[in-house]
Amino acid sequence: MTASPSPFRWGILGVARINRALVGPLASNGHQLLAVASRTLERACTYADEKGIPRAYGSYEALLADPDIDAVYIPVPHAFHVEWAAKAAAAGKHVLVEKPIALESSGVRTLQAAAREHGVVIAEAYMYRHHPLVARACQLAHDGTIGRLQGVRGMFTYVLDREHDTRLNPDHGGGSLWDVGCYPISFARTIVGARPLSVSASARWSPANVDLTFFGQIVFPDAIVAQVHSSFESPFRTEVEIIGSEGRLLIRHPFKPDAVETIEVITAAGTSTITVEGPVLYQGEVDDVREAARTGRAPLVTLEDSLDNTDVLVALAEAARRGTVVAVPQG
């Protein structure tokens, strides 16, 4: 009789709000949530008691020094993702780091080097990519169901009304583009399957000079165009529309898909609905890191993919600042 694999043991750096979505997946399906760290031991202990986490540390460094931890989840503010992912890699830990993985392309290259040097997996936490909805949408976009692929339109908006939220702080990588605009950009790139050529954009800026509302356009080869919209000033809405010469696909919950999700296929013949079943949200990305770590295969969201996405985000941010078309680096 084959023994069951030992649990894959996780630590969390910080007590961010997003942790609420990860605590369950990190402690189920063969995973163990072993430790949490905060900037003070008191806060870490309080959080650990609330969530039933066995170990608490008063610094991130102390958690990274724990030899029993296999991997860490990093939900710190955007500007600190590269720093702590690199430190975790140097400590021999595999890493699941929240999006955006970096605010500049050089940061992703730093993590590529760290992953190679220390033999660890570093993956960006785009949880939607692990739902079969995405693969099915890619298939439908390219198999003739809607004719020739012409474009993708995506949006992610919500009202951010917490005055001192880190996402409004320019020193922390604030702005709607980096917080939620990265989702439709990632989705569009995944659907098209090609590197963009150029971008243009416009934004409305806060007094602190972070974008509150962002509109961008991305031009791909073969005259395929993606249009993206993100905002901290509009009611909550997520949607992706994939446009072809003979119809379109409509996905109403693209970035946080339910276990059972739908794709609407709209053509001249009428509208039909395709149902796609997937794992519990966030479980897929956690399982993916474990399997990549144990088998040596690449994670689903590779650092090469993350670098490409970051190149586009940086170009869009530059285009909005300059008010001009900006070319996307081609290698």
Side-chain angles (χ1 to χ4, degrees):
M1 185 174 181
T2 304
S4 299
S6 58
F8 195 69
R9 300 162 298 182
W10 288 86
I12 301 178
L13 300 189
V15 293
R17 289 166 61 89
I18 185 64
N19 289 3
R20 293 177 297 180
L22 273 293
V23 166
L26 291 173
S28 60
N29 201 33
H31 301 273
Q32 180 185 9
L33 179 49
L34 186 61
V36 64
S38 186
R39 294 297 186 181
T40 68
L41 182 58
E42 180 182 8
R43 191 175 185 194
C45 288
T46 298
Y47 191 87
D49 288 344
E50 290 175 353
K51 305 299 183 183
I53 302 172
R55 301 179 190 178
Y57 292 102
S59 72
Y60 297 165
E61 291 89 349
L63 185 149
L64 294 179
D66 186 334
D68 294 333
I69 293 174
D70 300 306
V72 294
Y73 168 62
I74 301 178
V76 297
H78 303 158
F80 308 107
H81 287 175
V82 172
E83 174 188 355
W84 286 105
K87 288 180 177 179
K93 313 303 184 188
H94 304 287
V95 180
L96 177 64
V97 57
E98 263 307 325
K99 39 54 56 185
I101 195 169
L103 299 174
E104 53 189 22
S105 302
S106 61
V108 187
R109 295 190 183 95
T110 294
L111 297 183
Q112 288 178 312
R116 287 193 299 268
E117 179 182 355
H118 302 291
V120 298
V121 172
I122 302 177
E124 189 173 15
Y126 278 110
M127 71 287 189
Y128 83 89
R129 288 283 305 275
H130 300 269
H131 196 289
L133 174 79
V134 180
R136 189 73 171 104
C138 286
Q139 177 193 347
L140 293 167
H142 293 280
D143 68 3
T145 297
I146 57 171
R148 179 182 63 82
L149 179 62
Q150 295 178 326
V152 181
R153 181 185 61 83
M155 64 175 62
F156 195 150
T157 66
Y158 69 101
V159 175
L160 179 58
D161 54 9
R162 292 186 294 275
E163 183 178 354
H164 300 294
D165 194 286
T166 185
R167 287 165 287 190
L168 297 173
N169 186 337
D171 295 332
H172 289 178
S176 75
L177 173 66
W178 291 105
D179 185 45
V180 290
C182 56
Y183 280 104
I185 293 163
S186 169
F187 206 112
R189 289 182 46 260
T190 301
I191 292 297
V192 177
R195 190 170 182 81
L197 301 174
S198 64
V199 303
S200 57
S202 181
R204 197 180 91 81
W205 307 96
S206 75
N209 209 27
V210 302
D211 69 279
L212 299 175
T213 294
F214 196 97
F215 289 91
Q217 179 162 288
I218 307 167
V219 177
F220 293 87
D222 299 323
I224 300 172
V225 175
Q227 296 177 331
V228 298
H229 172 211
S230 62
S231 182
F232 290 155
E233 302 178 298
S234 300
F236 176 77
R237 186 178 179 188
T238 62
E239 187 173 277
V240 165
E241 181 183 32
I242 302 168
I243 303 161
S245 59
E246 298 176 22
R248 60 193 178 99
L249 309 174
L250 185 60
I251 305 172
R252 299 186 185 275
H253 305 108
F255 313 125
K256 295 184 72 173
D258 293 328
V260 178
E261 200 49 79
T262 60
I263 302 173
E264 295 175 47
V265 182
I266 305 163
T267 68
T271 300
S272 60
T273 300
I274 294 174
T275 300
V276 184
E277 296 185 10
V280 174
L281 194 60
Y282 298 97
Q283 191 68 58
E285 64 182 5
V286 172
D287 291 350
D288 182 64
V289 169
R290 177 186 61 196
E291 296 313 306
R294 286 182 168 174
T295 66
R297 67 159 174 81
L300 176 64
V301 181
T302 66
L303 287 175
E304 290 75 18
D305 189 358
S306 293
L307 178 59
D308 289 350
N309 208 59
T310 303
D311 282 344
V312 177
L313 283 159
V314 169
L316 281 164
E318 181 183 354
R321 296 285 185 191
R322 291 170 42 186
T324 61
V325 174
V326 172
V328 177
Q330 296 300 304

